[in-house]
Amino acid sequence: IVDPGSATIQRNAAFGNTRGMLVDNPAAGAPVLVGSTTLAPLTANRLWENEAFGLIASGNVTVAGNTVADQTDAAAIGLQLTGGATAQSNLVFGNGIGIDAAGGVLLGNRVYNNRQVGIRGDGTDVLENVVYTNPVGMLLTGDGAAVRNNLVYASQVAGISLEAASDTEILNNTLFELSADTLRIGGGSHDTTLRNNILWAQDRASGPGRRSF
């Protein structure tokens, strides 16, 4: 769907394709709504078992309240957002990368059991998400992102990893990891603000450890 204006897209099922759904809206004004921000019954879209992408949203698009699951390629992306598109209250699991976003806002999504990364963001604000049982919970790059009020746990490698990120604010998050690193800051990342977080890392060798910033 290209240039749909102020459309609302609800109650669709897409499966068995290369790409489940593409919504491209460069126009200003009210965003295209894919799903529902109120999570009302019978408003969600379901996208599953597509090969490369579940849903691609670009531009003035809000993706809300949908289920995006089990895209089949090893590196498949469940939900890809570019050009300022936002994602809110979606359920995203069983993909290579759960959500891949450049810019925009990720708010209140539940992202779990993806094969590589739960959330990959480039200059993306990541707020109030629940992210668990991914190898890397969040992989964040780019400039000026806010990472606030998220719960990240049960990762296999790292809860949050910053790579070549600058001016990132990591505030009020809870990270709980039994065997992974809670937080990695590397790859030339700089000017990171880390405040008022609870970071808990535990393994059999060292026992429990808790740090609050």
Side-chain angles (χ1 to χ4, degrees):
I1 303 172
V2 179
D3 294 331
S6 56
T8 298
I9 302 170
Q10 297 177 341
R11 300 181 66 179
N12 298 284
F15 60 95
N17 308 285
T18 301
R19 300 181 298 184
M21 183 183 297
L22 183 149
V23 182
D24 183 1
N25 183 35
V32 174
L33 177 59
V34 182
S36 172
T37 57
T38 67
L39 307 183
L42 303 178
T43 57
N45 300 283
R46 297 174 59 232
L47 306 106
W48 77 97
E49 293 184 3
N50 299 286
E51 182 180 356
F53 298 92
L55 193 157
I56 302 170
S58 179
N60 192 15
V61 182
T62 298
V63 180
N66 305 284
T67 297
V68 186
D70 298 329
Q71 316 318 314
T72 58
D73 188 81
I77 295 171
L79 177 55
Q80 184 177 68
L81 308 171
T82 61
T86 66
Q88 175 180 338
S89 303
N90 298 283
L91 187 64
V92 183
F93 62 90
N95 310 282
I97 297 170
I99 301 177
D100 185 18
V105 177
L106 305 180
L107 173 63
N109 302 282
R110 184 176 294 269
V111 184
Y112 66 96
N113 279 358
N114 296 284
R115 293 181 290 275
Q116 297 180 15
V117 178
I119 291 174
R120 184 168 66 184
D122 183 359
T124 302
D125 291 340
V126 186
L127 314 173
E128 301 177 21
N129 301 277
V130 179
V131 182
Y132 57 96
T133 57
N134 307 280
V136 177
M138 300 182 188
L139 176 60
L140 305 176
T141 61
D143 301 332
V147 184
R148 298 175 183 162
N149 301 104
N150 300 282
L151 172 61
V152 183
Y153 64 95
S155 308
Q156 288 86 56
V157 178
I160 296 178
S161 180
L162 269 61
E163 294 290 336
S166 63
D167 298 311
T168 306
E169 291 187 342
I170 302 177
L171 309 177
N172 304 325
N173 302 282
T174 297
L175 281 65
F176 178 79
E177 301 297 352
L178 293 176
S179 59
D181 295 336
T182 55
L183 175 64
R184 293 180 177 180
I185 301 175
S189 298
H190 58 89
D191 297 322
T192 302
T193 299
L194 184 66
R195 186 170 67 246
N196 203 38
N197 300 283
I198 295 173
L199 309 182
W200 184 299
Q202 178 174 310
D203 59 42
R204 293 179 181 177
S206 60
R210 179 176 179 176
R211 301 188 66 187
S212 180
F213 292 84

